[in-house]
Amino acid sequence: MAEPSFLTAVRESYDTVAADYVERVPPPAEMDPLSRAMLAGFAELVRTAGLGPVADLGCGPGRVTAHLAGLGVSAFGVDLSPKMIGLARHAHPDLRFTEGSMTALETGDDELGGILAWYSTHHTPPQWLPAVFAEFHRTLAPGGFLLWGDYVGNERLRPTHGYGRPVSYESHVLPLGHMVGLLGQAGLVVTARLEQEPGGRVNRPHACLLARKPERP
């Protein structure tokens, strides 16, 4: 089966911008305090539940994966871009990073204690999100946690350049309520949400959702 064109565009674009991304995107230590707090709370919940490792999906150069590991979580990263995975492995040789797509994870059923999707789903066309969130549900252990963070609104963006380089991906910025609904349709229960207005380095509204896969009766 041919690969969906949006995956090819994302892979090729992030291969192109990988080195510039590392230079331009601030590390977790420079995130806003509320985002760092959501990551810390997620890490504590996963650690306490003890259900399995965390998959950082769309991990890029692995800095947030390493941040989670520093918070005491067993974490590994997955990304479409071989160049990003190469940078992650070089910078964090003690952690596991693999090439892959969140549309079809090479992870067994009920295997993960947590999933982090940190500003990594907005390149996914809306019609593909149900399949992505179904994969999240499939791979999470009952009682496992998802932390989703991304931009929110109602825009379809077609940039020609990103991080100073040519790109061919699109970005789909969707309303927060729509994302909550899609997670619910996938069987994931949203337990907390954080909405933030533009400020600092971020020029559009963004949000975090914490969700959980229900435990078996």
Side-chain angles (χ1 to χ4, degrees), residues 123-139:
H123 296 311
T124 304
Q127 66 269 24
W128 275 89
L129 286 174
V132 167
F133 293 156
E135 277 291 89
F136 291 3
H137 183 275
R138 178 186 71 80
T139 55

Side-chain angles (χ1 to χ4, degrees), residues 40-194:
F42 169 69
E44 182 176 347
L45 288 167
V46 170
R47 215 172 46 239
T48 302
L51 296 171
V54 169
D56 179 7
L57 303 180
C59 66
R63 293 188 295 197
V64 181
T65 320
H67 181 71
L68 288 176
L71 293 171
V73 171
S74 174
F76 67 95
V78 180
D79 201 277
L80 270 174
S81 163
K83 291 285 182 67
M84 285 290 198
I85 290 296
L87 291 172
R89 289 171 175 167
H90 179 76
H92 310 288
D94 54 327
L95 299 178
R96 177 163 64 96
F97 296 96
T98 60
E99 294 175 38
S101 169
M102 64 180 73
T103 62
L105 295 169
E106 295 182 3
T107 302
D109 295 354
D110 302 340
E111 190 172 307
L112 301 173
I115 288 175
L116 178 66
W118 196 250
Y119 294 81
S120 58
T121 64
H122 59 271
H123 296 311
T124 304
Q127 66 269 24
W128 275 89
L129 286 174
V132 167
F133 293 156
E135 277 291 89
F136 291 3
H137 183 275
R138 178 186 71 80
T139 55
L140 276 174
F145 293 92
L146 164 70
L147 181 61
W148 173 92
D150 220 316
Y151 306 108
V152 291
N154 191 9
E155 294 181 90
R156 182 179 180 182
L157 307 172
R158 301 178 179 88
T160 58
H161 286 74
Y163 311 101
R165 302 281 183 175
V167 296
S168 57
Y169 55 59
E170 293 185 349
S171 293
H172 306 269
V173 183
L174 301 174
L176 183 59
H178 183 69
M179 302 303 293
V180 172
L182 289 176
L183 290 174
Q185 290 169 26
L188 298 167
V189 179
V190 173
T191 59
R193 67 184 76 188
L194 170 69

